[in-house]
Amino acid sequence: MDNGDLKEFTREELAQFDGNGRRAYVAIDGLVYDVTHEESWAYGKHYGLTAGKDFSKEIMGTPHEKIILGKLKIVGKLVD
Ligand code: HEM
C-alpha cells in the first residue's frame, strides 16, 4: 500500500487510541501501528508506556527495537 492511501492521524487524534476501553495505536517514524491485540500491550500499557503516542525515540534501545514493527498492522500515518 502506498503511504498516500493511509488514514491520517494528528497527535490529538492518535491520543484517543490509548487502549483504555478503546483500540491501542502507537506511532513510529510517521506510521501508526495497531497494538490492540498484543498481550504485552494490555490496556494500552507496555513497560511504562501508554498507547496513543509517538514512540520513535523510546523504541530505540529496547530488546526488540524496530524489528517488532514487522508483525504489527499499519493503520495510518501521523501528520503534524
Ligand atoms: C520503553 C520502551 C519499550 C520497552 C522497554 C520494551 C520492552 C519489551 C520487552 C522486554 C518485550 C518482551 C521481549 C521481546 O519480545 O523481545 C517486548 C515485547 C513487545 N514489544 Fe516492546 N518495549 C518498548 C516499546 C515498544 C513499542 C514502542 C512497541 C510498538 C511499536 C513495542 C511493541 C512490542 C510488541 C508487539 C511486543 C510483543 C512481542 C511478541 O510477543 O512477539 N514495544 N517489549
Side-chain angles (χ1 to χ4, degrees):
M1 183 169 43
D2 188 272
N3 280 358
D5 298 332
L6 291 172
K7 178 176 162 52
E8 296 189 346
F9 289 83
T10 62
R11 276 163 207 275
E12 289 71 25
E13 286 164 345
L14 179 62
Q16 308 300 306
F17 297 92
D18 63 1
N20 187 8
R22 295 167 284 271
R23 302 190 70 80
Y25 294 167
V26 297
I28 308 284
D29 298 340
L31 292 177
V32 178
Y33 296 85
D34 189 351
V35 291
T36 308
H37 301 297
E38 293 297 324
E39 271 177 42
S40 68
W41 277 91
Y43 305 104
K45 305 278 188 193
H46 183 80
Y47 296 89
L49 305 179
T50 299
K53 301 190 192 81
D54 179 354
F55 294 123
S56 302
K57 291 196 183 74
E58 288 81 356
I59 201 167
M60 300 311 296
T62 64
H64 47 64
E65 293 202 329
K66 294 179 189 174
I67 290 167
I68 208 77
L69 300 180
K71 69 170 277 191
L72 300 176
K73 186 180 178 216
I74 296 171
V75 291
K77 62 182 173 183
L78 192 61
V79 292
D80 281 313

